[in-house]
Amino acid sequence: MFPVKTNSVLLLMQIMLGLLVFASMVLHCQGLSRHTFVVKETPYTRLCSTKNILTVNGKFPGPTLQVRKGETIVVDVHNKGDYNITIHWHGVKQPRYPWSDGPEYITQCPIQPGKKFRQKVIFSSEEGTLWWHAHSDFTRATVYGAIIIHPKKGTHYPFPKPYAEFPIILGEWWKQGIMELYETFRLSGGDPNVSDAYTINGQPGDLYPCSKSETVKLMVDHGKTYLLRIINAALQDILFFAVAKHNITVVGTDASYTKPLTTDYIAISPGQTIDVLMKANQPQGDYYMAASVYSSAAGVTYDNTTTTAILHYNGTYNASSRPYLPNLPSYNDTNASASFTGKLRSLADEDHPIKVPLNISTKLFYAASVNTFPCNNRTSYCEGPNGTRLAASLNNISFELPTTDILKAYYNHIGGVYGDQFPSVPPLLFNFTADYLPSFLLTPKIGTEVKVLEYNSTVELVFQGTNLAAGTDHPMHIHGYSFYVVGWGFGNFDKDKDPLGYNLVDPPLQNTIAVPKNGWATIRFKANNPGVWFMHCHLERHLSWGMDSAFIVKNGDYPEAQLISPPPDMPPC
Ligand SMILES: *[C@@H]1O[C@H](CO)[C@@H](O)[C@H](O)[C@H]1NC(C)=O
Ligand SMILES: *[C@@H]1O[C@H](CO)[C@@H](O)[C@H](O)[C@H]1NC(C)=O
Ligand SMILES: *[C@@H]1O[C@H](CO)[C@@H](O)[C@H](O)[C@H]1NC(C)=O
Ligand SMILES: *[C@@H]1O[C@H](CO)[C@@H](O)[C@H](O)[C@H]1NC(C)=O
Ligand SMILES: *[C@@H]1O[C@H](CO)[C@@H](O)[C@H](O)[C@H]1NC(C)=O
Ligand SMILES: *[C@@H]1O[C@H](CO)[C@@H](O)[C@H](O)[C@H]1NC(C)=O
Ligand SMILES: *[C@@H]1O[C@H](CO)[C@@H](O)[C@H](O)[C@H]1NC(C)=O
Ligand SMILES: *[C@@H]1O[C@H](CO)[C@@H](O)[C@H](O)[C@H]1NC(C)=O
Ligand SMILES: *[C@@H]1O[C@H](CO)[C@@H](O)[C@H](O)[C@H]1NC(C)=O
Ligand SMILES: *[C@@H]1O[C@H](CO)[C@@H](O)[C@H](O)[C@H]1NC(C)=O
Ligand SMILES: *[C@@H]1O[C@H](CO)[C@@H](O)[C@H](O)[C@H]1NC(C)=O
Ligand SMILES: *[C@@H]1O[C@H](CO)[C@@H](O)[C@H](O)[C@H]1NC(C)=O
Ligand SMILES: [Cu+2]
């Protein structure tokens, strides 16, 4: 009996192995490279204390995905953690295939603990740096990693090949658990606790307790040029970044090339990526690269610490006792942030032509506000200003996530999940950036409204920041698209004057744009990617408060302009 049992076990194993081989052959035959992401709790020690954090494959930051332009890859996401999770490929347009995009309750239900989901990631026009991150509650605080999109075989960077490349992933660290941070934030109705540190590639660096020995070091050779792929993965903050005594030259943002822009600092929004060239042309020594916050809301506390990594010149020399620190703009320097972002320009050369829509079919104007809800009883759960609960809105609608995903409801004509009447303009026009605004304006409506766009419509969207509750910057992000940022300014958008200044020649192509504090930004795109695409502020607290909506882009007439059907293993609700 014993040998028979062994044989049947062996046979079973052979069948299973065969299935595995078959599955990977199917993928292999399609020429797709395959990756496995196991989401799980892993202990990490930072700032003198240890806690469990959610990671992918035990790594923090998670694994870097390396692809070529136009490639499609498959990622098997296994949830072996204790929480619902989804994974989003930030800035990857996923043409006609929103099924793998990731935002929970928008394009899928979460992958519940113990479950898995095979995600297809379809690259098209992107080239440069993007990133992936979790897209449920605050889980992206530790669940993120870089995506590097190399030029197609036989094509090259539009700049001299750098000697080496380094990803620089900026993040944020809390001593308390992220789930506890999120739960307390949801209950309190106030601002969330600020972080205890910023990080570069997961490390706070020399200026924090218990961190020095693990500070990230970049070894460079004098005279060589390096490509830094900078990603802002921080949960809540726009950051300034600089390298002491070194100018850097911006050559790309959000996986699109820019005209070279030489600067001594950058401002980078959560969600955004900026590729820079850095020439190691200074006397041999150690230099800090550093990042600190840009926090524009008056009276709001912020994490005032500075994260560092060390730029170390190779060789034997007498190093100074302490590396030089760069001068970063002050935490409240709105001009430093907005004027840097406003200097970005598309490369727009023969090999990288731009396609800014010129005849606009759909004009939208979205006012982005921080709001408050009154509390009937003043309890500890009303920690917003004046005993309120903080909220946020677009066109006075504070977005509420449904409990079934919108994409499924749209595709299968399930009613009662979302409304398709998102307003094209605010319900009330007022002086959005006035110093004092009447308090009745503070309270938004609650809803799950989306904007429906015809296939191939040409969209112009003006984001207008308001001074309700707290005027501040809003890094707005749209899934499934990149958009041209054709203009920006402070104060109220002037529909007669401001369009005269639009840049239709070489505007930057981005997927995230920081709408400046009490200002506006105009974007343009062509709605040629059918599906359901989330749009939201990339400051996680504002997203949680409801500064979100979605676009439904309808199918076009031809099969190539229509949604691909869903995979069989969409996670159920
Ligand atoms: C904020 O953090 C401190 C220290 O980590 C903790 O004691 C406190 O409970 C936190 N407060 C909230 C509202 O999460
Ligand atoms: C630095 O020096 C080491 C040892 O001399 C060498 O192996 C390495 O290639 C050099 N360059 C970098 C960037 O580390
Ligand atoms: C950086 O650029 C500025 C302006 O172009 C220039 O004045 C300065 O000398 C440069 N610094 C370095 C270290 O190259
Ligand atoms: C940062 O904030 C802390 C607490 O709010 C304060 O004690 C400290 O002096 C501040 N540090 C700097 C460099 O501003
Ligand atoms: C480093 O400094 C010491 C003492 O000042 C000197 O003797 C040595 O020659 C220096 N080395 C280099 C590589 O400059
Ligand atoms: C920035 O804050 C400092 C004090 O921390 C203040 O003196 C300065 O006026 C502020 N600047 C702006 C532009 O608000
Ligand atoms: C705004 O910042 C830019 C640097 O990016 C600087 O050239 C300019 O002088 C600043 N303007 C003001 C008013 O501070
Ligand atoms: C007000 O208090 C009552 C009883 O303490 C509680 O049931 C109710 O949920 C509270 N309402 C709000 C809006 O906090
Ligand atoms: C709006 O408010 C700002 C700030 O108080 C003020 O400077 C501006 O003149 C106002 N605009 C209009 C059109 O009233
Ligand atoms: C808080 O109350 C004061 C005084 O009534 C008012 O001026 C202010 O606008 C209120 N702020 C918020 C955010 O409700
Ligand atoms: C969409 O526009 C492109 C040109 O911009 C055109 O080639 C294509 O036929 C249009 N598709 C549909 C379905 O209208
Ligand atoms: C996890 O997702 C399922 C399916 O949508 C949902 O029913 C459940 O409430 C979620 N759990 C938590 C803790 O959010
Ligand atoms: Cu925001």
Side-chain angles (χ1 to χ4, degrees):
M1 268 191 85
F2 198 54
V4 172
K5 204 170 172 187
T6 310
N7 275 344
S8 60
V9 169
L10 263 176
L11 186 67
L12 194 71
M13 280 173 64
Q14 271 171 0
I15 292 173
M16 279 167 59
L17 248 170
L19 279 176
L20 268 176
V21 170
F22 178 71
S24 56
M25 268 170 61
V26 168
L27 290 170
H28 196 75
C29 290
Q30 293 174 340
L32 304 185
S33 83
R34 181 179 173 177
H35 305 261
T36 302
F37 275 20
V38 177
V39 178
K40 60 180 178 192
E41 299 277 339
T42 313
Y44 268 81
T45 305
R46 295 288 184 272
L47 309 177
C48 325
S49 63
T50 303
K51 64 168 183 171
N52 272 336
I53 61 170
L54 273 183
T55 64
V56 165
N57 301 349
K59 292 187 179 164
F60 172 68
T64 297
L65 293 173
Q66 307 264 359
V67 301
R68 280 198 190 275
K69 182 178 182 179
E71 194 180 342
T72 294
I73 64 170
V74 169
V75 184
D76 283 314
V77 181
H78 298 256
N79 185 355
K80 296 199 174 154
D82 297 331
Y83 307 96
N84 286 346
I85 198 137
T86 67
I87 305 284
H88 166 57
W89 322 95
H90 184 112
V92 183
K93 292 190 262 300
Q94 304 275 35
R96 303 161 55 209
Y97 198 75
W99 307 104
S100 282
D101 189 47
E104 70 170 347
Y105 302 115
I106 305 296
T107 61
Q108 69 171 88
C109 296
I111 310 170
Q112 297 180 42
K115 305 287 188 220
K116 60 181 202 270
F117 180 34
R118 170 167 290 181
Q119 291 180 251
K120 205 148 79 166
V121 189
I122 306 175
F123 295 87
S124 50
S125 52
E126 309 86 1
E127 184 171 320
T129 308
L130 293 172
W131 60 301
W132 55 265
H133 63 79
H135 217 303
S136 48
D137 304 337
F138 280 5
T139 51
R140 78 171 178 83
T142 58
V143 181
Y144 59 78
I147 301 178
I148 296 176
I149 307 149
H150 300 279
K152 280 188 174 162
K153 278 218 171 77
T155 67
H156 303 280
Y157 296 132
F159 44 81
K161 191 176 180 343
Y163 182 66
E165 309 185 0
F166 300 107
I168 301 284
I169 314 179
L170 308 174
E172 238 173 333
W173 184 270
W174 280 260
K175 286 191 210 164
Q176 70 182 136
I178 294 301
M179 297 305 159
E180 181 199 333
L181 172 78
Y182 179 70
E183 282 312 317
T184 318
F185 157 75
R186 293 290 287 196
L187 279 174
S188 77
D191 276 308
N193 254 1
V194 301
S195 49
D196 298 298
Y198 299 105
T199 55
I200 294 178
N201 296 348
Q203 293 292 347
D206 282 8
L207 308 185
Y208 297 88
C210 308
S211 304
K212 201 167 173 136
S213 64
E214 291 181 296
T215 298
V216 170
K217 266 196 174 178
L218 272 61
M219 317 285 260
V220 296
D221 286 336
H222 190 272
K224 300 279 196 317
T225 299
Y226 296 84
L227 175 61
L228 308 182
R229 299 176 177 272
I230 307 163
I231 297 166
N232 186 349
L235 209 54
Q236 310 287 17
D237 292 293
I238 299 175
L239 294 166
F240 291 121
F241 171 89
V243 185
K245 300 198 188 284
H246 290 72
N247 285 336
I248 52 184
T249 301
V250 178
V251 291
T253 186
D254 291 356
S256 176
Y257 293 115
T258 61
K259 290 200 165 70
L261 168 65
T262 298
T263 176
D264 53 2
Y265 75 93
I266 63 165
I268 183 166
S269 296
Q272 194 182 5
T273 70
I274 298 183
D275 287 354
V276 306
L277 295 176
M278 186 199 66
K279 187 154 196 206
N281 60 3
Q282 292 303 300
Q284 285 184 318
D286 282 346
Y287 301 83
Y288 277 132
M289 43 182 67
S292 67
V293 76
Y294 163 53
S295 170
S296 63
V300 169
T301 53
Y302 57 93
D303 174 353
N304 65 3
T305 63
T306 302
T307 181
T308 55
I310 295 172
L311 181 69
H312 175 81
Y313 278 74
N314 246 0
T316 24
Y317 52 88
N318 285 341
S320 60
S321 51
R322 192 179 173 134
Y324 299 102
L325 258 177
N327 291 320
L328 290 160
S330 162
Y331 75 97
N332 58 357
D333 195 341
T334 294
N335 172 57
S337 170
S339 65
F340 167 77
T341 304
K343 279 184 208 153
L344 297 173
R345 297 285 179 272
S346 273
L347 183 53
D349 66 5
E350 272 171 29
D351 296 329
H352 306 85
I354 64 161
K355 299 167 196 151
V356 191
L358 298 177
N359 299 311
I360 300 301
S361 65
T362 309
K363 282 198 172 183
L364 305 173
F365 185 95
Y366 288 6
S369 303
V370 176
N371 303 88
T372 56
F373 286 121
C375 273
N376 299 328
N377 345 340
R378 296 206 168 189
T379 65
S380 58
Y381 302 121
C382 302
E383 288 172 4
N386 300 341
T388 59
R389 291 183 65 84
L390 281 164
S393 66
L394 292 171
N395 281 353
N396 209 41
I397 299 178
S398 186
F399 189 82
E400 191 169 60
L401 283 176
T403 50
T404 309
D405 65 277
I406 294 177
L407 178 56
K408 180 180 178 186
Y410 166 64
Y411 195 76
N412 295 315
H413 309 283
I414 302 168
V417 175
Y418 65 89
D420 58 8
Q421 299 298 316
F422 189 89
S424 298
V425 291
L428 199 61
L429 297 175
F430 56 94
N431 185 346
F432 297 109
T433 58
D435 293 337
Y436 301 99
L437 287 163
S439 58
F440 78 89
L441 291 170
L442 279 168
T443 310
K445 288 186 189 154
I446 297 177
T448 308
E449 292 294 330
V450 309
K451 167 63 65 190
V452 178
L453 297 172
E454 294 300 326
Y455 184 83
N456 257 358
S457 53
T458 44
V459 182
E460 177 180 289
L461 167 51
V462 179
F463 289 111
Q464 172 71 57
T466 82
N467 200 30
L468 285 169
T472 190
D473 293 64
H474 299 294
M476 299 304 300
H477 171 53
I478 304 182
H479 292 217
Y481 286 87
S482 288
F483 45 74
Y484 291 100
V485 182
V486 298
W488 68 278
F490 292 112
N492 294 304
F493 175 73
D494 183 327
K495 69 173 173 30
D496 299 318
K497 278 198 206 130
D498 289 324
L500 302 177
Y502 283 166
N503 173 8
L504 304 176
V505 177
D506 58 359
L509 185 61
Q510 299 179 227
N511 63 51
T512 307
I513 177 64
V515 180
K517 175 182 180 174
N518 289 332
W520 55 271
T522 304
I523 65 169
R524 287 186 179 187
F525 62 95
K526 181 166 182 165
N528 55 7
N529 187 12
V532 175
W533 303 109
F534 201 25
M535 180 191 63
H536 60 94
C537 178
H538 221 284
L539 303 182
E540 213 59 25
R541 59 189 187 282
H542 293 179
L543 188 164
S544 301
W545 284 332
M547 192 174 282
D548 338 331
S549 180
F551 288 110
I552 288 183
V553 178
K554 288 167 48 176
N555 280 335
D557 293 336
Y558 316 105
E560 316 82 70
Q562 295 171 1
L563 275 185
I564 297 167
S565 51
D569 61 339
M570 289 301 296
C573 268

